[in-house]
């Protein structure tokens, strides 16, 4: 059965029936119950065996609070499921995760097949670059050039809703196949513990982009991209995100002593204040 489950309970255990029904109707991830059908059977001495079929519009609610469906497996975005997500990343799968701004699609940035899969899911042009996500600020130096930045700048900006554009440099351990032809890379360290634990556990950078079709509105709830669930190994539900749909603030820090805001995002003013406190000048205003 691909979208339903049969649970058989005898009349000898009415409390179990009540517990099952209460769990099924209130567990995390259930949007609604399509129908509840009870059939009474009286065979071979079993009196009143109840067959309960619970069908949800988004899949099958299991007793542990997860939702199974042909569209992937919905999990709560808690550390209990972080290792599962790490294993999916290492296996070259695409997962959907919450961040401190929007829901995103993530995969191993060093897996050509997984990165290409993200482009296919989104219908995104291969010429449009992907950002990467790392678990900690100190990890950034392994993937991009940071020694030209004022001391402490990145620690003030991150973790947070900011994407910093940096030069890759010759020492970057990123695969050349990621964003080929570009000498820069966008880097995120979201203020979201779940995705950062996944990054650290995978011992790699994650390719990260918003969970939506290209040129369509970004997602602040897993239901916003339900039409794409089937393409993900797991969908991790962190609830409705409160930051709006502006996404992260993107700032170019590739040039010594200057910055350039490429996208205002959700933290423009705070970002500029930090940059100028570290004596950076807006690109174009430097003399």
């Amino acid at each position: 059965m691909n979208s339903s489950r049969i649970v058989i309970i005898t009349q000898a255990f009415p409390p179990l029936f009540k517990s099952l029904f209460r769990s099924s109707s209130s567990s995390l991830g259930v949007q609604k119950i399509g129908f509840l059908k009870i059939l009474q059977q009286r065979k071979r001495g079993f009196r009143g065996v109840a067959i309960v079929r619970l069908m949800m519009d988004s899949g099958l609610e299991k007793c542990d609070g997860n939702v199974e469906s042909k569209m992937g497996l919905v999990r709560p975005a808690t550390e209990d499921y972080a290792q599962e997500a790490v294993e999916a990343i290492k296996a070259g799968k695409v997962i959907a995760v919450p961040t401190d701004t929007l829901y995103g699609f993530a995969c191993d940035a060093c897996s050509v097949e997984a990165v290409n899969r993200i482009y296919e899911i989104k219908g995104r042009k291969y010429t449009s670059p992907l950002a990467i996500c790392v678990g900690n600020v100190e990890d950034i130096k392994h993937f991009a050039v940071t020694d030209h930045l004022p001391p402490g700048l990145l620690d003030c900006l991150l973790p947070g809703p900011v994407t910093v554009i940096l030069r890759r440099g010759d020492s970057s351990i990123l695969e050349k196949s990621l964003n080929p032809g570009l000498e820069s890379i966008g880097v995120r360290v979201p203020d979201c513990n779940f995705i950062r634990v996944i990054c650290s556990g995978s011992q790699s950078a994650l390719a990260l982009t918003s969970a939506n079709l290209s040129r369509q509105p970004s997602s602040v709830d897993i239901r916003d991209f339900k039409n794409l669930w089937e393409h993900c190994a797991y969908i991790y539900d962190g609830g409705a995100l409160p930051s709006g749909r502006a996404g992260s603030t993107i700032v170019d820090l590739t040039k010594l002593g200057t910055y350039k805001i490429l996208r205002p995002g959700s933290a423009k003013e705070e970002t500029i204040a930090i940059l100028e406190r570290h004596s950076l000048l807006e690109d174009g205003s430097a003399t």
Side-chain angles (χ1 to χ4, degrees):
M1 284 167 281
N2 56 7
S3 63
S4 63
R5 181 181 180 183
I6 301 298
V7 182
I8 300 179
I9 308 156
T10 71
Q11 286 184 339
F13 302 98
L16 181 60
F17 176 88
K18 293 178 180 179
S19 173
L20 174 66
F21 182 80
R22 183 162 53 249
S23 172
S24 298
S25 60
S26 62
S27 297
L28 176 65
V30 177
Q31 297 174 25
K32 65 181 180 179
I33 297 177
F35 65 86
L36 172 65
K37 185 177 182 180
I38 302 178
L39 301 177
Q40 299 294 330
Q41 292 185 353
R42 300 178 181 275
K43 292 184 180 180
R44 299 181 182 177
F46 286 87
R47 293 190 305 163
V49 175
I51 301 177
V52 182
R53 173 173 292 181
L54 301 176
M55 297 186 68
M56 270 65 67
D57 65 342
S58 61
L60 165 64
E61 178 74 5
K62 298 176 69 177
C63 294
D64 60 3
N66 299 309
V67 178
E68 279 185 318
S69 78
K70 65 180 180 180
M71 298 180 289
L73 185 61
V74 177
R75 300 285 210 195
T78 63
E79 288 192 41
D80 292 339
Y81 295 101
Q83 185 56 40
E84 171 189 80
V86 168
E87 292 170 1
I89 292 294
K90 289 182 175 181
K93 305 295 184 181
V94 174
I95 62 175
V97 291
T99 71
D100 53 353
T101 54
L102 306 167
Y103 276 87
F105 292 135
C107 73
D108 184 352
C110 294
S111 170
V112 176
E113 294 79 7
V115 168
N116 287 341
R117 183 64 176 145
I118 282 185
Y119 277 100
E120 292 170 1
I121 293 171
K122 288 178 62 71
R124 184 183 179 99
K125 293 181 179 179
Y126 285 89
T127 53
S128 298
L130 296 179
I132 64 169
C133 172
V134 296
N136 298 286
V137 173
E138 54 266 30
D139 296 330
I140 297 176
K141 63 180 180 290
H142 300 301
F143 303 95
V145 177
T146 63
D147 53 11
H148 66 296
L149 298 175
L153 173 61
L154 291 178
D155 290 294
C156 290
L157 290 172
L158 304 167
V162 180
T163 300
V164 294
I165 307 297
L166 298 166
R167 289 181 292 112
R168 289 198 195 197
D170 296 332
S171 61
S172 174
I173 63 176
L174 280 176
E175 291 288 334
K176 300 296 184 183
S177 58
L178 181 68
N179 305 337
L182 290 182
E183 297 181 356
S184 60
I185 187 71
V187 185
R188 289 219 60 201
V189 185
D191 189 12
C192 175
N193 193 54
F194 183 68
I195 189 171
R196 291 174 62 198
V197 168
I198 296 172
C199 287
S200 298
S202 66
Q203 299 180 325
S204 178
L206 303 183
L208 182 67
T209 185
S210 56
N212 60 299
L213 291 173
S214 289
R215 298 176 297 278
Q216 296 298 313
S218 301
S219 301
V220 295
D221 189 287
I222 63 169
R223 290 172 293 185
D224 293 340
F225 60 97
K226 185 177 176 182
N227 59 317
L228 302 176
W229 286 8
E230 62 182 307
H231 304 295
C232 301
Y234 299 101
I235 303 95
Y236 292 99
D237 187 0
L241 305 181
S243 58
R245 301 181 190 273
S248 63
T249 296
I250 302 179
V251 57
D252 187 336
L253 297 177
T254 57
K255 296 181 180 179
L256 178 66
T258 68
Y259 73 88
K260 184 176 183 179
I261 300 295
L262 302 182
R263 184 176 73 186
S266 59
K268 178 183 176 182
E269 288 74 20
E270 299 92 325
T271 299
I272 290 176
I274 293 171
L275 296 169
E276 295 184 349
R277 194 161 65 240
H278 284 79
S279 302
L280 267 64
L281 299 175
E282 185 175 5
D283 191 18
S285 65
T287 58

